[in-house]
């Protein structure tokens, strides 16, 4: 290596040690504040598959059969995620008074609906699944031993807020 190359290498290593990192913003309790998670169109398929993989991993650990994605349940989940955004509240009823059962019937789902999990957050799909697993009621939807199919979708607002919906059925 030439003398000039050694000087450049030494300077690069020296300057790298001077780099600053952005501190993590904390809430009053000391927990990190949520980071904005932007979902691009290119990420859509990967997000659905990561959620399915995560759901199936926790189901396997609990001794439950894996679930397959169902296009009709995905459609019902997408409709509800967008509708929760319009209503600006996470709840299981649509702006027209529809229940989860009504919504899966509208999309032609011929199976039996078992449950629906919803979330309003800025977190990733993996963090959302972890939050659902921490709550006994939403954990039960994910781990229901009768489930053979799932639908999953979201709607992201321009401000970054994400409305997540997961449906299970058989």
């Amino acid at each position: 290596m030439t003398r000039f190359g050694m000087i450049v290498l030494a300077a690069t290593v020296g300057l790298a040690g001077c780099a600053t990192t952005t501190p993590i913003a904390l809430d009053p309790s000391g927990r990190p504040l949520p980071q904005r998670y932007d979902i691009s169109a290119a990420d859509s398929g990967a997000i659905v598959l990561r959620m399915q993989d995560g759901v199936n991993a926790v189901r396997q650990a609990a001794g439950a059969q894996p679930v397959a994605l169902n296009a009709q349940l995905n459609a019902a989940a997408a409709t509800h995620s967008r509708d929760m955004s319009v209503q600006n509240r996470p709840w299981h009823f649509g702006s027209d008074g529809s229940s989860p059962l009504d919504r899966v019937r509208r999309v032609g789902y011929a199976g039996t609906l078992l449950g629906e999990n919803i979330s309003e957050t800025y977190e990733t799909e993996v963090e959302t699944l972890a939050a659902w697993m921490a709550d006994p009621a939403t954990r039960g939807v994910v781990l229901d031993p009768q489930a053979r199919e799932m639908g999953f979708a979201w709607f992201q607002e321009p401000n970054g807020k994400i409305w997540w919906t997961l449906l299970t059925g058989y």
Side-chain angles (χ1 to χ4, degrees), residues 8-23:
V8 169
L9 179 63
T12 302
V13 169
L15 288 174
C18 296
T20 60
T21 58
T22 304

Side-chain angles (χ1 to χ4, degrees), residues 70-152:
N70 178 283
Q72 292 149 331
L73 291 177
N74 286 344
T79 298
H80 191 55
S81 292
R82 181 176 292 274
D83 191 47
M84 285 189 296
S85 171
V86 168
Q87 296 179 74
N88 196 32
R89 64 178 168 180
W91 75 320
H92 294 282
F93 294 95
S95 56
D96 61 356
S98 62
S99 70
L101 186 56
D102 296 328
R103 290 189 297 276
V104 299
R105 284 182 180 152
R106 285 180 190 161
V107 297
Y109 183 63
T112 300
L113 176 69
L114 291 170
E116 176 181 73
N117 285 347
I118 57 173
S119 180
E120 164 198 19
T121 184
Y122 292 87
E123 296 177 332
T124 69
E125 65 282 357
V126 174
E127 293 166 310
T128 299
L129 178 58
W132 286 337
M133 293 305 293
D135 178 83
T138 53
R139 179 183 177 90
V141 171
V142 174
L143 297 180
D144 189 321
Q146 291 183 304
R148 295 293 177 262
E149 299 175 308
M150 70 172 263
F152 176 69

